[in-house]
Amino acid sequence: MENTLTRVGVVGGVRIPFCRNNTAYADVGNFGMSVKVLGALVERFGLHGVELGEVAMGAVIKHSSDWNLAREALLSSGLAPTTPGITTARACGTSLDNAIIIANKIAVGQITAGIAGGSDTTSDVPIVYGTRLRKRLLAMNRAKTPLDKLKVALRGFSLRELKPSFPGVAEPRTGKSMGDHCEQMAKEWQITREAQDQLSVDSHHKLAAAYADGFFDELLVPFRGLKRDGFLRPDSTMQKLATLKPAFDKSSGRGTLTAGNSTGLSDGAAAVLLASDAWAAQRGLKIQAYLRDAEVAAVDFVHGEGLLMAPTIAVPRMLARQGLTLQDFDYYEIHEAFAAQVLCTLRAWESAEYCKNRLGLDAPLGSIDPAKLNVHGSSLAVGHPFAATGARIIATLAKMLEQKGSGRGLISICTAGGMGVTAILERP
């Protein structure tokens, strides 16, 4: 007997304003932000005391005590305490991954509804110490008597052991930061500084217009005195961005990535509610859009491929499976980790050589309509708390499709580690 899959609907999402690290949310942490967005989702959709099939949340930078952040946060959210929770991490793709996890469970009938989301803080980061001190403390714990513990503590001790280690942003395999890798991509694909700055300016202006139009009124929950994203610069101009110095390649004279066309260190959280048609109808809730498909890919960045180019591979695989072309979309939500990354992705899809040699295609995927790209702004203007970005994009795109009445949207998110997470939302 052939199995049939259940359609997976996006009921809606919420987020708190994203802000710069060490500002409004400096003392909140992932747990507090996760509780806030989950509680807001419970309030919005009347889920008090409701048992869901799963809550999948994530965080990239978290303390070891947050080993199951999702479960702990949902216990403070108003959901039934019998709701399971799972915590995941795949860098910037984390909460889109979580939506895929929930969607797959709904599709095969394991659950009927769940929440996907994520939070991240670069303010409340785990601080660890070196191997020597860690081994010393473990040996002290194993020692039987107070005197033995004291001997272990003092034997060969150096004050250098007390030097803390902060989380780094470098790729372990290369020692280079994501910005360093993206700078290499920009040079390889000949992406100009002006094109990057223009994309950033456009992102800020589009986000400001969306706020002015009230687009985010239902998507955003004020928190800690913030009512809009702390990164938003409505008065951003090409002239202002042109004054900024390169942030990564500072010495060659050819650096093009700056603080103005790259995302800043961010704090924030977001979550979305996914459900079957039957579950939503039973609770009197409307479906905004459906999650049609998803795809994840990876590149060999250690041996020369661009670190953030994996979405260029994931998208054509997904398109082929669905019988779609790159132009068959009303909206494109391409995560703006860096303006250069977005532009490299678009140029790769336009390149006959890249599409033939790397993607195995007979022809280039082609170009997209710029008017359909990140219509309400994206990460350059909104901010980018790593694990929260995917849920933010899903909620934004689902509302856009609902407002339009029908259509199809493409989500593309690059991640650290040379991976990409992509998905298709549609509203028939």
Side-chain angles (χ1 to χ4, degrees):
M1 183 176 179
E2 185 178 346
N3 292 326
T4 57
L5 297 179
T6 300
R7 284 201 307 181
V8 180
V10 179
V11 180
V14 297
R15 67 180 179 90
I16 55 176
F18 294 171
C19 68
R20 296 181 184 278
N21 68 333
N22 299 318
T23 57
Y25 308 155
D27 61 340
V28 180
N30 284 321
F31 175 75
M33 293 189 295
S34 296
V35 169
K36 180 65 179 180
V37 295
L38 287 177
L41 208 61
V42 168
E43 289 285 344
R44 180 176 171 186
F45 296 113
L47 302 178
H48 287 280
V50 174
E51 178 183 312
L52 297 179
E54 186 80 273
V55 171
M57 294 284 287
V60 177
I61 300 177
K62 63 180 185 294
H63 298 275
S64 58
S65 58
D66 290 334
W67 64 273
N68 197 350
L69 178 67
R71 174 63 176 161
E72 296 302 322
L74 78 85
L75 288 173
S76 298
S77 69
L79 290 170
T82 50
T83 300
I86 182 173
T87 302
T88 71
R90 196 207 300 267
C92 315
T94 297
S95 51
L96 179 53
D97 266 313
N98 285 335
I100 296 168
I101 290 171
I102 298 297
N104 286 343
K105 289 188 174 186
I106 294 172
V108 299
Q110 293 177 351
I111 64 175
T112 54
I115 292 174
S119 70
D120 252 304
T121 173
T122 48
S123 301
D124 180 25
V125 299
I127 300 174
V128 297
Y129 292 85
T131 302
R132 286 178 59 87
L133 182 61
R134 179 171 56 83
K135 289 184 175 180
R136 184 182 299 278
L137 293 173
L138 290 171
M140 288 173 61
N141 187 58
R142 290 191 297 267
K144 300 299 183 183
T145 68
L147 182 59
D148 289 339
K149 292 180 185 292
L150 181 61
K151 289 179 180 179
V152 172
L154 297 178
R155 187 182 303 125
F157 175 75
S158 168
L159 288 176
R160 289 193 297 270
E161 293 180 28
L162 297 178
K163 182 180 179 180
S165 175
F166 293 87
V169 295
E171 289 289 335
R173 297 281 174 168
T174 64
K176 297 178 181 178
S177 71
M178 187 178 289
D180 292 328
H181 276 281
C182 194
E183 185 73 76
Q184 289 181 328
M185 288 165 47
K187 291 180 173 64
E188 177 185 352
W189 288 97
Q190 299 180 347
I191 305 298
T192 66
R193 164 76 178 269
E194 290 72 24
Q196 295 174 52
D197 287 352
Q198 187 64 64
L199 185 72
S200 181
V201 169
D202 291 344
S203 187
H204 284 277
H205 291 176
K206 288 187 284 189
L207 181 64
Y211 270 110
D213 292 341
F215 178 82
F216 291 108
D217 289 352
E218 293 181 353
L219 297 178
L220 209 70
V221 179
F223 188 48
R224 285 296 184 95
L226 293 183
K227 296 183 179 181
R228 59 174 54 191
D229 302 299
F231 288 87
L232 175 58
R233 298 186 299 274
D235 60 347
S236 181
T237 65
M238 291 289 286
Q239 291 73 25
K240 291 179 179 179
L241 292 193
T243 65
L244 300 177
K245 296 181 179 180
F248 301 100
D249 180 359
K250 302 177 181 180
S251 58
S252 75
R254 298 189 299 123
T256 58
L257 273 69
T258 71
N261 57 41
S262 309
T263 52
L265 294 176
S266 314
D267 296 349
V272 292
L273 175 63
L274 306 174
S276 66
D277 285 306
W279 186 91
Q282 186 179 24
R283 301 198 62 82
L285 299 173
K286 296 180 180 179
I287 299 293
Q288 291 185 318
Y290 293 92
L291 182 55
R292 175 169 171 174
D293 201 357
E295 180 77 21
V296 179
V299 294
D300 185 6
F301 70 96
V302 178
H303 297 100
E305 286 196 275
L307 177 73
L308 306 180
M309 296 298 285
T312 66
I313 299 163
V315 166
R317 290 178 184 171
M318 188 168 55
L319 295 179
R321 187 165 56 243
Q322 293 296 327
L324 297 171
T325 71
L326 185 60
Q327 291 71 39
D328 290 335
F329 293 87
D330 300 279
Y331 304 112
Y332 302 84
E333 286 290 326
I334 302 180
H335 160 50
E336 297 169 345
F338 304 89
Q341 183 276 328
V342 177
L343 296 169
C344 286
T345 295
L346 297 177
R347 186 157 294 180
W349 287 335
E350 294 169 353
S351 167
E353 180 182 1
Y354 183 83
C355 288
K356 178 182 179 181
N357 296 336
R358 183 60 181 89
L359 306 181
L361 302 176
D362 294 331
L365 290 171
S367 60
I368 67 171
D369 182 353
K372 299 178 180 180
L373 173 64
N374 298 343
V375 173
H376 296 306
S378 192
S379 305
L380 287 168
V382 177
H384 175 40
F386 310 121
T389 289
R392 171 190 71 78
I393 290 176
I394 293 170
T396 298
L397 181 55
K399 180 173 180 179
M400 291 165 62
L401 290 170
E402 181 186 38
Q403 287 184 337
K404 186 176 183 297
S406 65
R408 186 182 296 119
L410 177 68
I411 299 174
S412 171
I413 299 178
C414 60
T415 86
M419 296 176 286
V421 188
T422 63
I424 296 171
L425 294 189
E426 66 181 8
R427 183 179 174 90

